[in-house]
Amino acid sequence: MAEIDGNNVLARSLKEQGIEYVFGITGFPVIELSMAFQVHGIHYIGMRNEQAACYAAQAMGYLTGNPGVCMVVSGPGLLHCTAGMANAQINCWPLLVIGGSTAEDHVGIGGFQECNQVELSRPYCKYASQPASVSLIPQHVESAVRLAKCGRPGVSYLDFPANLLQKTVLEDTIPDQYVVETLPLTFPDPKDIKEAVNLIVNAKRPLVIIGKGAAYAGAEKEIRDLISMTNLPFLATPMGKGVVSDNSPNSVAPARSLALKQADVILLLGARLNWILHFGRSPRYADDVKIIQIDVCAEELHNSVKSAVAIQSDLKPAAQQLIAGLMREVFDFSNATDWWIKLKQKCNQNAKGVEALVQDTSVPLNYYTVFHHLQQLLPQNCIIVSEGANTMDIGRSMLPNVLPRHRLDAGTFGTMGVGPGFAIAAALWCHHYEPNKKVICVEGDSAFGFSGMEIETMVRYKLPILIVIINNSGIYSGLDQDTYKDLRNVDQATQSLPPTSLSFATRYDNMMSLFGRTGYFCHTIPELQQSVKEALNVNDGPSIINVIISPSADRKPQEFNWLTSSKL
């Protein structure tokens, strides 16, 4: 009987669980493991930073529904990865992290990069374990994958000491493993659906909120049917965009503050009442608003406020039963209602407020005109990755999505540095499933600095990602050229330069010269338009368009601050 080592048992087990992509940085003790992945037909993508690798793996999990895998070395490798693990866990995206670790006979005596990795990972995971033997590896892989994708998705961590990976055993000692091919569904209680239907039918000012959970659930058909059949107004959270097209006449995104403040019944579909939705509390919501909450996780129900109807269910069957119940009531919310009239008026009013900024093409440019002219040239079906402060927030309203799972951004954890990793995963997904689709990575200059060297990864794997850097020379805001020079040249620049300032108009586009390529440097709208047209035709690697805007450019005045303030 042939022998097999732990590296190959692990790689084979992952392949049997349907794992297609592993992102990571190789090194001791996982060098042979990374090679074993390739031997067993798994795509291995070598990244430049463990955080970026973890971001890429979780984005692949979100896009496919099967965990992406992040492989890291022991000690610092895993610790660098924990920011990504926390991001995936809080975003509810399926992710499996595999860490090499100190050989078991070196534990406790100062082994190389020794640390208690299972316990360090546990706060950021649904499942964290170290197999006790080579023959138990398949069982632990199955458990890790199953827990990462079942119920509310999240993170699993598996720890592999160097000696376990290298140990060989007889093939016949390795048991077969169970493969989760069809996820079990949780169905709603019919009584709860009936209560929800009754609330919606009798609402004067109803509102639907669509979250990224709806996108992950693949419930776009059911939710689009619900909106079109009932004519209900809706808002989408940032990554809920595209479940119903942003261009739908039922979208009231321009009237977001009014819709939240005055709605009397709110139907939450795959969204949580966290900071993104201002916790569902006054003053951003009416004191007497009735909330219908649908969530696959029972622990999330009534989490911030007491819901009028709390439904534990997967989203597809719940939406299907809501549609059936509302159709039995012959419910159709008329455009002639006072609520629809008020929402449309507010949408039109706010759209006019943006129009002046869109039309202002004077130099230095502002966010709105850059996004407007960028959007005019982008394919409607492209995947948009975005991060930054104003860059991401303004881009959410100015760069529409018409398809689900086509926007990836900082998400619930508000993590900066996710952009390049997310874009790499999206480009690989496109290559596998939709080869003609474009990936656009829109970055603030500060956000790009976190993971900018991943452009080398993009070049190495010939990933055609268009990176657009909205460069205001700062975090939130920067300094104009003269002020920056004056403050930088004083004796104590560390005390004179504002904490939010970065170097003025940094030439990030010149990074492409590292790879014998040319980036684009833009100050004007015609330069931006020409650059986008050329870059969209590049199919053998990334492009960078560096757009210089006013350091003092800001979002338009808002009725409420974007982040609800603490009262403590």
Side-chain angles (χ1 to χ4, degrees), residues 299-376:
E299 290 83 353
E300 183 64 31
L301 302 176
H302 309 292
N303 187 45
S304 178
V305 297
K306 179 172 171 50
S307 298
V309 183
I311 304 173
Q312 184 192 8
S313 175
D314 281 278
L315 205 49
K316 274 190 177 184
Q320 290 167 348
Q321 293 187 28
L322 277 177
I323 292 170
L326 289 167
M327 291 304 97
R328 282 194 295 270
E329 298 290 336
V330 197
F331 176 75
D332 185 8
F333 196 67
S334 171
N335 284 319
T337 60
D338 291 342
W339 183 228
W340 256 126
I341 292 170
K342 183 180 287 190
L343 289 170
K344 291 293 186 185
Q345 287 175 341
K346 190 64 173 178
C347 285
N348 293 335
Q349 176 187 334
N350 285 345
K352 289 178 182 177
V354 172
E355 188 62 25
L357 293 167
V358 165
Q359 296 302 324
D360 179 10
T361 59
S362 61
V363 176
L365 299 169
N366 69 72
Y367 287 103
Y368 293 88
T369 193
V370 168
F371 283 131
H372 172 73
H373 289 91
L374 175 63
Q375 184 270 330
Q376 287 186 319

Side-chain angles (χ1 to χ4, degrees), residues 119-281:
E119 292 307 311
L120 284 170
S121 301
R122 205 176 298 281
Y124 315 110
C125 294
K126 293 177 69 178
Y127 179 83
S129 184
Q130 181 188 94
S133 66
V134 173
S135 62
L136 286 174
I137 289 175
Q139 174 186 321
H140 282 266
V141 168
E142 185 278 326
S143 295
V145 170
R146 175 163 46 83
L147 268 73
K149 58 196 285 192
C150 287
R152 171 170 282 181
V155 182
S156 291
Y157 173 70
L158 290 178
D159 192 70
F160 292 92
N163 57 303
L164 182 67
L165 291 172
Q166 297 160 6
K167 185 176 181 180
T168 60
V169 297
L170 294 176
E171 282 263 18
D172 64 359
T173 65
I174 307 300
D176 294 334
Q177 62 178 335
Y178 172 69
V179 178
V180 179
E181 294 179 345
T182 303
L183 296 179
L185 288 178
T186 301
F187 282 76
D189 187 328
K191 174 180 65 67
D192 293 336
I193 292 292
K194 186 175 181 179
E195 288 183 31
V197 168
N198 185 59
L199 274 182
I200 295 170
V201 167
N202 290 290
K204 301 296 183 186
R205 298 178 303 281
L207 178 68
V208 178
I209 298 178
I210 302 169
K212 73 173 174 287
Y216 180 79
E220 55 268 20
K221 181 185 182 303
E222 290 78 9
I223 295 176
R224 289 179 180 188
D225 288 346
L226 174 66
I227 296 298
S228 64
M229 291 175 180
T230 61
N231 196 43
L232 287 166
F234 77 89
L235 292 172
T237 64
M239 279 187 278
K241 285 161 57 71
V243 173
V244 181
S245 171
D246 286 343
N247 298 326
S248 165
N250 293 77
S251 172
V252 293
R256 184 179 190 270
S257 293
L258 172 71
L260 294 178
K261 174 67 177 174
Q262 296 190 17
D264 62 352
V265 172
I266 292 177
L267 173 62
L268 279 180
L269 299 176
R272 288 172 284 174
L273 291 175
N274 53 25
W275 68 272
I276 291 177
L277 290 174
H278 316 291
F279 314 109
R281 299 177 183 178

Side-chain angles (χ1 to χ4, degrees), residues 6 33 84 235 297 308 323 330 355 393 399 423 476 541:
L33 177 60
L235 292 172
C297 179
I323 292 170
V330 197
E355 188 62 25
D393 294 336
L399 299 174
Y476 301 109

